[in-house]
Amino acid sequence: MKALICGGGIAGLALARCLGDHGWEVVVLEKADALRTQGYMIDFFGPGYTAAREMGLLPRLQELGYAVDALRYVDEEGRTRAGLSYERFGRAAGGHLISIMRPDLERALYESLPGKVDVRFGTGLTAVTHHPDGAAATLTDGTEVAADVVVGADGVHSAVRGLAFGADERYVRRLGFHTAAFVFEDPEIHAVGRRNFVLTDTTDRQMGFYSLRDGRVAAFAVHRSADPALPDDPRETLRREYGGLGWVVPRALRACPPGDEVYYDLVAQVEVPCWSQGHVTLVGDACYAVSLLAGQGASLGMAGAYLLAEQLAGAPSVGTALRRYEERWRPVVEEKQRAARRGVRWFLPGSQTELQARRLALRAARLPGVDRYVATALAGRTRGVLGRALR
Ligand SMILES: Cc1cc2nc3c(=O)[nH]c(=O)nc-3n(C[C@H](O)[C@H](O)[C@H](O)COP(=O)(O)OP(=O)(O)OC[C@H]3O[C@@H](n4cnc5c(N)ncnc54)[C@H](O)[C@@H]3O)c2cc1C
């Protein structure tokens, strides 16, 4: 059996790894020229953690991961106004939590690929066609690849979805925020973010930092914006939007690299009424992005890929496998999407009243009992999710 996977991110590489383990011939197309190096810190827990354990990846992820003591919200002077202990957060996730940079997670998956998986960097596709017993794609190098199944694991703006299912506007639900991430060098800010994820305690826009072991700092930013267009120059937009935040933010903005080294996108969810058309299917952000507000997209991408591979390897036909995959996984991701939309005000308060409410909730979270409630509200139901879907 053969799979053509478009997208060498977390979902695509996880699927390639699992199908390769099941003896499938796998071709992965990745439009970037090499593994992506830009990225942000991910809290990795829940069903993706379970999938990683099943794939034998946990030791490598733990090696690449970071120890985080706390999430701290600070004022203009850098004084802590509110916070959350990661130990509590981790306990709510059953102790199964790894903080890891997205590129490191992708690297671990890539390193684990069986030798027969053919990853073609710098390659995308221009057409997808349905065949009676499979599907085929025309690649950007002009060649055609036929397979038993073609999978779009190519993120929120999926090309496979665009070619086989229709334009973005039908499926992408914008949540009214823009987000950015970049990595830079500044020893002073590095000292601030060591073992702590430190964020500005602000309304409508916030910027946060985490110190990396190589001496650099990973910055993350999110601000409210209804603009559906992405800026031509992300660095310029960041300077305009965040320049007034105070504390170390102006220093970080001065150190921000040029636009093509900045990750910048709209915050959005993806809702596709039916994930498969014939032998063409979707996985990860391409069909069920939950958005960064849910803090679980990578986890759900990895677990969805694992589940899809198990169905493809075990079902009597590709059609049955694709049906079972969607039946079992759709309820899980829809619940996370709803939870993310409910949590918007918690994630980025829109007024001083909402900001104060978040501070009070985090203060209350230090009390025994309440701490578990708040941490569980953030992590969601994490235990047994993948196991139930596999049964
Ligand atoms: C700031 C931020 C913080 C986040 N924090 C967390 C967190 O704490 N925990 C968590 O679990 N999740 C988090 N997420 C979400 C998580 O990063 C995504 O859900 C996850 O990366 C989705 O993986 P994916 O493989 O489905 O898609 P993507 O990561 O988007 O990967 C898609 C891949 O396809 C490639 N591609 C795209 N188009 C084409 C094409 N036409 N041809 C070939 N290749 C193509 C891309 O280059 C990319 O490599 C966060 C997201 C953001 C933005």
Side-chain angles (χ1 to χ4, degrees), residues 5-13 29-32 36 40-45 102 105-106 120 123-125 153-160 179-181 220-221 263 265-267 283-286 288-302:
I5 301 169
C6 181
I10 293 162
L13 292 174
L29 311 178
E30 169 52 51
K31 73 172 176 188
R36 295 180 298 172
Y40 37 82
M41 190 61 85
I42 280 179
D43 288 326
F44 189 69
F45 58 97
R102 190 196 61 187
L105 181 49
E106 290 178 348
R120 301 188 191 174
T123 311
L125 39 69
D154 44 355
V156 170
H157 309 290
S158 168
V160 173
T179 185
F220 151 79
Y263 167 88
D265 206 351
L266 308 180
V267 177
V283 68
D285 275 9
Y288 55 75
V290 290
S291 87
L292 74 106
L293 305 192
Q296 291 193 48
S299 173
L300 295 168
M302 174 102 91

